[in-house]
Amino acid sequence: GENVEQHPSTLSVQEGDSAVIKCTYSDSASNYFPWYKQELGKRPQLIIDIRSNVGEKKDQRIAVTLNKTAKHFSLHITETQPEDSAVYFCAASEDSNYQLIWGAGTKLIIKP
Amino acid sequence: SQTIHQWPATLVQPVGSPLSLECTVEGTSNPNLYWYRQAAGRGLQLLFYSVGIGQISSEVPQNLSASRPQDRQFILSSKKLLLSDSGFYLCACYTSVDSEQFFGPGTRLTVL
């Protein structure tokens, strides 16, 4: 079955710098890759997702890149702000309708 | 768009007591529904998912069970809680309209 690995487990960056979180997956049939942000004590919320027919997707300061050959995808946050501090989860699925296989999460800390 | 209700928001239960957590969805029909558990500081563990009334798939063998008596109602139960059942229980919904897994507000369960 699918396995998703996420690195790093904790990432500390200076406010204004960029942050990159990486995930690798094992099942070549996976074609949907969402990223969720979870603030302390709250529910995870989808921030961006990408499907296998594109290599990159951007939404303001957030971007996701996908390398299907290498089976990895990354979340990029530019110009980080204090409100970006949260735990970020990647996931993979054959389709968003199916089960999502989750990474273990990355705690992002933005230092003022 | 859909709305997910979960109750109660918090719950403190003694070891060996029963459990019933309820999740209801508004604003959509025939959704896929999911129960996740998140231990403190950890990732998301899929417990059950359902593609329709009376259809439940279990991902992790344990002392929990789930039922879907109505299209937009998903219930998580236990006959006897264990200390290890403590955690943040999240109900999620997939709809083809929004094409994402959307999470409810969660129930924080503490077993003493």
Side-chain angles (χ1 to χ4, degrees), chain A residues 30-106:
Chain A
S30 292
N31 57 14
Y32 174 68
F33 308 93
W35 285 90
Y36 283 76
K37 175 184 180 182
Q38 187 179 27
E39 297 177 353
L40 189 63
K42 299 194 175 178
R43 75 186 89 181
Q45 292 190 298
L46 181 71
I47 54 172
I48 195 166
D49 57 12
I50 192 168
R51 297 184 185 275
S52 59
N53 56 345
V54 297
E56 183 177 2
K57 185 176 178 181
K58 280 187 178 180
D59 183 2
Q60 300 182 342
R61 297 186 297 109
I62 294 173
V64 56
T65 58
L66 171 65
N67 183 327
K68 284 221 76 179
T69 303
K71 294 184 195 168
H72 67 71
F73 56 110
S74 300
L75 177 71
H76 305 254
I77 306 174
T78 59
E79 301 172 18
T80 53
Q81 300 170 4
E83 55 264 35
D84 294 329
S85 292
V87 178
Y88 291 80
F89 292 98
C90 66
S93 172
E94 289 187 26
D95 188 276
S96 57
N97 189 24
Y98 294 94
Q99 295 180 48
L100 289 176
I101 307 301
W102 296 86
T106 296

Side-chain angles (χ1 to χ4, degrees), chain B residues 2-7 21-28 31 33 35 69-75 91 93 102 104-105:
Chain B
Q2 77 276 19
T3 303
I4 302 180
H5 300 280
Q6 285 188 249
W7 61 89
L21 301 181
E22 189 162 345
C23 168
T24 59
V25 181
E26 292 179 358
T28 188
L33 296 174
W35 276 114
Q70 300 179 44
D71 180 48
R72 288 172 286 178
Q73 184 184 30
F74 204 22
I75 298 171
C91 178
C93 165
F102 179 78

Side-chain angles (χ1 to χ4, degrees), chain B residues 11-63:
Chain B
L11 190 59
V12 180
Q13 291 285 99
V15 169
S17 64
L19 173 73
S20 181
L21 301 181
E22 189 162 345
C23 168
T24 59
V25 181
E26 292 179 358
T28 188
S29 59
N30 197 31
N32 283 9
L33 296 174
Y34 308 82
W35 276 114
Y36 288 91
R37 177 170 62 199
Q38 188 175 33
R42 304 295 295 274
L44 297 163
Q45 180 187 31
L46 179 64
L47 302 175
F48 302 95
Y49 72 96
S50 172
V51 298
I53 296 173
Q55 300 178 65
I56 309 294
S57 295
S58 173
E59 292 302 302
V60 183
Q62 57 206 322
N63 67 321

Side-chain angles (χ1 to χ4, degrees), chain A residues 5-42:
Chain A
E5 294 190 1
Q6 182 172 348
H7 300 280
S9 57
T10 305
L11 178 60
S12 183
V13 301
Q14 204 70 38
E15 182 178 350
D17 289 350
S18 295
V20 181
I21 303 170
K22 299 181 180 179
C23 287
T24 59
Y25 62 99
S26 59
D27 188 352
S28 57
S30 292
N31 57 14
Y32 174 68
F33 308 93
W35 285 90
Y36 283 76
K37 175 184 180 182
Q38 187 179 27
E39 297 177 353
L40 189 63
K42 299 194 175 178

